[in-house]
Amino acid sequence: MTQGEHGVGEHFFFHINAEWWHKMGTHPRVVGAMPSGSRCVYTNSDGKGTEGIGAMLQYQIFCMAYASLNKCNYHFGGFKNLQHYQYFNDSQEEFGKSFDRLFNLPGLSVCNSNKEHLDPSLLLRFGQENLEEIWNSNITTALNQLLFLEKSHHYFDQDYINVAVHIRVRTSLDNCNAPQREYFKHNDDAYYNNVINNIAGIDFEKPVKFHIYSQGQDTDFDLPEGCELHINEHPAISLYHMIKSDILVMGNSSFSWVSHLYGNCASVVKSSFYHTTYDATSVECAPDGSFDTDRIKELVQRRNRCIK
């Protein structure tokens, strides 16, 4: 099976085993006294009509990490019943499959019937408590090698520093009213303008291009001239580019967090963000949009040296 070819259908299963991790160049390490061998773990991939791709993908990332670090097998049943398909010309089934194709999780075989379900809330705790272990294990390198998006949808110009700015807005389908969400309001323009202007002022080796990812109308945002708006873009295309960006300005959203967890980009993280982020790729941003610009420049330079 080549990258981008799934055989998605009625029996859609993905499986990771020790042979796959060895092939991808990772080095699983045991966390505590965990069983190995034929043990097979899985977690929820059904959004049940209320969860979006960010929430469901974070569970899979940490389930895969758990499997790798504990030397056991991983089973994935395909994304289904995701929220937010209503904004696009996809059926709910096709919407889920668009992310199966994007993340292209490894399909080697099917676990036997003795699959062990891992609770998503426990996986989130495991992931955040072991985030540096995950970073050092090269799991993110393996995941990045699997990403697939048809070239006709690629639009980053490699002659620029590509900055992805995720602005989380409230929509009619949102069911989370937690204050830490910090949905975009019009008086938030100053924050994003300051972040954008601070990045634009960094003396990079290449010019900077800003890409704005959000929903609504173009006129909802009062941002500096020259920003490229990707408003209401299909989230599979947006996620690919957010993951591949040089700099990711994160919103308080799982959609931003999973992009960060892939580990490609230098990330500007709000001080109010509610999840753990990689120390090696993150810079905390104050409420006024100020952050350590020297640190961001250093992270971008290190990133670009690594991918050349």
Side-chain angles (χ1 to χ4, degrees):
M1 181 176 294
T2 60
Q3 185 168 332
E5 296 175 349
H6 292 273
V8 176
E10 183 177 353
H11 301 291
F12 176 42
F13 297 108
F14 287 157
H15 178 68
I16 291 178
N17 58 24
E19 180 183 356
W20 183 85
W21 286 116
H22 177 74
K23 180 181 178 182
M24 299 305 289
T26 63
H27 304 283
R29 286 168 286 177
V30 176
V31 180
M34 297 291 182
S36 59
S38 61
R39 186 181 180 211
C40 180
V41 296
Y42 76 101
T43 193
N44 297 13
S45 59
D46 187 336
K48 300 185 184 302
T50 62
E51 297 284 2
I53 184 58
M56 303 314 296
L57 178 60
Q58 65 192 9
Y59 304 148
Q60 299 306 319
I61 291 173
F62 290 140
C63 191
M64 293 172 70
Y66 181 94
S68 173
L69 293 172
N70 293 292
K71 297 184 177 179
C72 54
N73 299 327
Y74 162 77
H75 170 86
F76 173 54
F79 293 114
K80 57 181 71 71
N81 298 320
L82 297 176
Q83 179 67 286
H84 304 302
Y85 76 95
Q86 297 92 333
Y87 297 114
F88 306 96
N89 294 322
D90 290 348
S91 67
Q92 193 171 41
E93 180 182 9
E94 178 54 34
F95 192 64
K97 288 180 179 179
S98 70
F99 298 108
D100 296 333
R101 290 189 291 269
L102 173 64
F103 299 113
N104 196 20
L105 300 176
L108 298 181
S109 61
V110 179
C111 284
N112 60 32
S113 58
N114 297 317
K115 297 187 293 291
E116 178 184 342
H117 179 262
L118 299 182
D119 184 88
S121 62
L122 295 181
L123 280 172
L124 287 182
R125 178 178 175 182
F126 163 82
Q128 294 189 88
E129 290 179 351
N130 294 278
L131 203 62
E132 292 310 306
E133 183 81 0
I134 292 169
W135 172 258
N136 292 326
S137 70
N138 291 326
I139 292 168
T140 58
T141 301
L143 290 174
N144 275 286
Q145 291 178 11
L146 294 171
L147 276 176
F148 175 79
L149 183 71
E150 291 182 1
K151 288 189 176 180
S152 61
H153 294 307
H154 294 193
Y155 50 71
F156 276 175
D157 186 336
Q158 299 308 312
D159 291 331
Y160 288 82
I161 300 293
N162 289 287
V163 180
V165 182
H166 181 215
I167 302 178
R168 183 71 166 90
V169 301
R170 186 175 183 85
T171 70
S172 60
L173 298 176
D174 289 309
N175 53 29
C176 178
N177 295 309
Q180 60 266 31
R181 275 287 193 187
E182 295 189 358
Y183 293 113
F184 176 79
K185 302 178 290 295
H186 286 289
N187 57 359
D188 293 331
D189 286 327
Y191 169 82
Y192 288 102
N193 282 330
N194 288 341
V195 172
I196 289 169
N197 288 330
N198 285 332
I199 294 173
I202 299 174
D203 183 22
F204 290 112
E205 295 178 355
K206 297 188 287 187
V208 178
K209 182 173 289 188
F210 293 93
H211 301 265
I212 312 300
Y213 297 93
S214 193
Q215 291 177 281
Q217 304 296 324
D218 292 3
T219 53
D220 293 340
F221 307 96
D222 184 16
L223 300 171
E225 290 186 13
C227 292
E228 189 169 315
L229 301 181
H230 303 274
I231 309 301
N232 303 320
E233 182 177 75
H234 194 287
I237 298 174
S238 295
L239 270 173
Y240 177 87
H241 288 90
M242 288 168 63
I243 290 169
K244 292 291 188 179
S245 62
D246 296 288
I247 301 173
L248 172 64
V249 179
M250 294 172 59
N252 283 8
S253 165
S254 294
F255 197 80
S256 278
W257 194 38
V258 294
S259 301
H260 164 81
L261 289 176
Y262 266 71
N264 278 311
C265 43
S267 298
V268 177
V269 187
K270 285 186 174 185
S271 57
S272 59
F273 191 61
Y274 44 85
H275 286 313
T276 308
T277 57
Y278 297 127
D279 289 339
T281 65
S282 300
V283 173
E284 184 175 305
C285 190
D288 65 357
S290 62
F291 56 90
D292 186 344
T293 55
D294 291 337
R295 170 69 172 158
I296 281 290
K297 181 177 181 179
E298 174 191 343
L299 292 176
V300 171
Q301 290 174 335
R302 182 191 305 165
R303 173 192 185 276
N304 290 338
R305 284 197 299 270
C306 289
I307 64 176
K308 284 181 179 179

